[in-house]
Structures are given as structure tokens and as C-alpha cells.
Amino acid sequence: MDDAELERLLRNERYPRSAGYSVRWMVDGAMGPNTLWQAEALAEHVSLEPGMRVLDMGCGTASSSIFLAKEFGVEVWATDLWVRPEENLRRVIEAEVEAQVHPIHAEAHALPYAENFFDALVSIGAYHYFGTDDLYLGYFSRFVKPGSQIGIVQPGPVEEYEVFPPPHLEPYWKWDFCAWHSPTWWRRHWEKTGLVAVEVADQLPHSWHDWLQWNDACDLDAGTPNREEAQMLRADNGRTLGLSRVIAHRTS
Ligand SMILES: C[S@@+](CC[C@H](N)C(=O)[O-])C[C@H]1O[C@@H](n2cnc3c(N)ncnc32)[C@H](O)[C@@H]1O
């Protein structure tokens, strides 16, 4: 597919900042639902000022880290387990933000940072891999200054499912979707620690639609239209699935 067609398929007025980036670059770095759109949605509620130190936890190919550095002038520690930091450094240098984005290889439970080092913590499409344990927030939140914000966004149903797999999604269900949780679940999961005050816990508006738009474009571009995840989103038809966004600030 040529870039003009990809551009047409990915036009989305909800994300004007993301529209300034090459769609080919976005697709080349894809590891899940569009990470720039999600970063832009987080930034609606996470205050980001030039010079702030931001942890992008589970950054994958660091597209969101590059985006946050360019858009908000923040300094980002692009931290990931599966993607080699050398690979992310290459992308960071190509994007000309090597003074602002630092690729780090680390496991989410063994972070090489000082407590209170960051002005904000963000995590896109990743927190559910390591953060559903009741005790994880107590570890993670210590890296942000008291009063500062933590923002995450990842797939989740609008409400918790009563039955697993949910009957209408059974043909597509993978066992690890059990880590997909609703905004209300996340709110309680964080609030019960007493360590943070949750400011926003919602299903990102239009996120089902955006997710499907993204998958359809990526699938077509790869020459494999309507792959299984897109089929699942179509079967759900916006009934349950979307992206759960949670934003809180550290209280203690
Ligand atoms: C689906 S990818 C999303 C990547 C990127 N944030 C995005 O939106 O495209 C999930 C990322 O979480 C990271 N991850 C999963 N488990 C992790 C862990 N235990 N510690 C650190 N990173 C982890 C992986 O390395 C992977 O890059």
C-alpha cells in the first residue's frame, strides 16, 4: 500500500497532534492499538511541561516516548523489556530527540531509577502485563514525586465480564485477555492501596472505533485484511471492548 492510501485510512480528527507524524513511521513501530493516539489521549489529563522527567513504562518501539518529547518538550526514559534499547536508540536518533529520550532495558519489577525521580509516569498498552498484582502500584508509584501523576491506557471491557470467555467473543478469546479490565476495576484496584487519588477512570471515548480503524489499516497494509483481532472487534461491535484509561496522582 502506498503512503498516501495509508494516510487516508488513518485520518482521525480526534488526534490532531498525532496527525503531524508519518503514518508509515507509526505502522512500522506498531505493537498494538495506535500508541500515538493513546499518548495524545493520556496527555489530555496528564500535565506535561517542558523539562519534566517522564517514565514511559513498556514503551515498545518508543514511538510514544518520541511523541511526548517532541510535543511537550519533556525528557523521557523509554523503558521496555522486549524491545532492545539499541533498536529504540536508532529510532530516537532518527527522530532527532536523543537529548530528550533515553532508551532503557528493564523489567517492570526491577526499575533502575531513584525513588521520586519522575514528574510523571505513563504506560500505554503495557501496564496490564505487570500491573494487575495488588502490590505493584506500591512499587511503581514510588518512582514519581508525591502529588505528581500516573497515567495508563490499555485494552479493557466497559464493565467486567461475568462469564469467561464472554460468549460473543469465544471464537477469538486468548487466555491472557483475562488481564483486560474495566475502568471501574482499575479505579478500585488503585484506590484500595490508599497511595493515589484517581482523577479519571474511563473507557476512552471512541476507542473501539479507533482501535478497529487502526487494525484495519495495518492489516490491509500488511496484505492480510481482517485479521483475528479486527474480527473480534467487529463481532463485539462496540458492546464491550475499548481502551481503559486511568489517571491518578500520588498522595503519599
Ligand atoms: C503490546 S506492547 C505495547 C508497546 C507500546 N507501549 C505501544 O503502545 O505500542 C507491550 C509492551 O510491554 C512491555 N512489557 C511487558 N511486560 C513487561 C515487563 N514485565 N517489564 C517491562 N516491560 C514489559 C513489552 O516489552 C512490550 O513492549
Side-chain angles (χ1 to χ4, degrees):
M1 178 183 294
D2 66 30
D3 290 0
E5 177 62 2
L6 192 59
E7 176 84 41
R8 191 187 65 76
L9 291 174
L10 287 172
R11 205 162 291 147
N12 188 325
E13 289 171 0
R14 276 188 285 285
Y15 304 105
R17 288 180 182 268
S18 303
Y21 292 76
S22 150
V23 286
R24 179 58 59 200
W25 177 76
M26 287 189 213
V27 169
D28 285 348
M31 291 182 74
N34 188 316
T35 197
L36 260 57
W37 292 350
Q38 294 178 83
E40 191 164 348
L42 273 186
E44 284 171 13
H45 296 281
V46 176
S47 144
L48 297 170
E49 303 292 336
M52 279 174 60
R53 293 200 285 249
V54 176
L55 170 60
D56 186 357
M57 187 66 233
C59 68
T61 54
S63 301
S64 52
S65 312
I66 292 167
F67 172 81
L68 294 173
K70 284 190 175 237
E71 290 298 313
F72 301 99
V74 294
E75 191 170 356
V76 186
W77 277 257
T79 306
D80 201 69
L81 185 63
W82 303 343
V83 179
R84 292 167 53 236
E86 295 78 13
E87 164 68 10
N88 279 342
L89 182 61
R90 184 184 59 73
R91 285 172 60 81
V92 164
I93 290 170
E94 278 170 12
E96 300 179 353
V97 286
E98 63 267 40
Q100 272 174 277
V101 179
H102 315 295
I104 302 291
H105 181 252
E107 203 285 322
H109 297 83
L111 296 175
Y113 304 117
E115 292 188 15
N116 302 330
F117 180 69
F118 290 104
D119 299 296
L121 312 179
V122 300
S123 185
I124 298 166
Y127 195 85
H128 57 299
Y129 287 110
F130 43 79
T132 56
D133 170 357
D134 286 348
L135 302 181
Y136 186 72
L137 184 68
Y139 172 73
F140 191 57
S141 63
R142 69 177 67 160
F143 297 104
V144 76
K145 294 171 182 155
S148 295
Q149 288 176 297
I150 306 170
I152 64 171
V153 57
Q154 59 282 309
V158 67
E159 287 173 1
E160 290 294 295
Y161 295 118
E162 295 292 329
V163 178
F164 287 94
H168 73 295
L169 299 180
E170 192 166 356
Y172 316 101
W173 197 256
K174 296 190 169 56
W175 77 268
D176 57 352
F177 294 172
C178 66
W180 289 359
H181 288 292
S182 67
T184 305
W185 186 93
W186 281 112
R187 174 185 284 280
R188 182 175 147 74
H189 184 59
W190 279 11
E191 280 182 340
K192 70 186 179 184
T193 65
L195 297 173
V196 297
V198 175
E199 300 163 18
V200 176
D202 65 355
Q203 191 172 61
L204 196 59
H206 310 285
S207 51
W208 161 72
H209 199 267
D210 295 339
W211 185 358
L212 182 57
Q213 179 187 2
W214 171 251
N215 278 34
D216 277 345
C218 291
D219 291 352
L220 275 173
D221 183 58
T224 50
N226 202 25
R227 296 179 70 180
E228 196 167 318
E229 195 166 279
Q231 289 175 35
M232 174 176 75
L233 292 169
R234 271 202 185 77
D236 189 58
N237 198 28
R239 268 163 69 191
T240 65
L241 289 172
L243 300 172
S244 294
R245 171 174 63 176
V246 193
I247 292 156
H249 63 265
R250 182 179 168 194
T251 52
S252 58

